[in-house]
Amino acid sequence: MKGHTVPDLTWQKSSYCAQGGACVHVAADQDGAVLLTESADPAGAVLTATPASFAALVRRVRVTDQKQIGWLG
C-alpha cells in the first residue's frame, strides 16, 4: 500500500455489512483517491480508485441490487 498505512486513514464501514464481519471499508486519502479494503484483513490488500470510478461502482451495485429484489425490470 504505497504511502498509506491503515491507522493514518479514517475508514467507513459499509451500511450493508453482514453479520459476522464480512464488510467493505472505504476511506479517502489526502489526494482524493478512494481506498477500499475488507474487514477480514484491513492491513492486507487495499484497492485504490478515482472518485468517478468508485461512484460508477456504487451506481452499478445499486442497480444490480434493485433488479435482484424486483424494483427494476
Side-chain angles (χ1 to χ4, degrees), residues 16 55-73:
Y16 284 94
L57 171 66
V58 170
R59 280 192 303 275
R60 172 52 78 188
V61 169
R62 285 182 179 160
V63 167
T64 302
D65 188 44
Q66 289 174 358
K67 284 181 180 178
Q68 288 178 351
I69 61 176
W71 288 358
L72 296 176

Side-chain angles (χ1 to χ4, degrees), residues 2 6 17 21 26-27 29 34 36 42 44 47-48 63 68 70 73:
K2 222 191 243 182
V6 174
C17 184
V26 180
D29 71 5
V34 179
L36 300 132
L47 302 176
T48 303
V63 167
Q68 288 178 351

Side-chain angles (χ1 to χ4, degrees), residues 10-57:
T10 302
W11 293 92
Q12 268 188 305
K13 184 168 43 170
S14 168
S15 61
Y16 284 94
C17 184
Q19 296 249 351
C23 304
V24 173
H25 293 185
V26 180
D29 71 5
Q30 66 276 7
D31 299 322
V34 179
L35 307 171
L36 300 132
T37 190
E38 64 171 312
S39 59
D41 188 15
V46 176
L47 302 176
T48 303
T50 65
S53 63
F54 179 69
L57 171 66

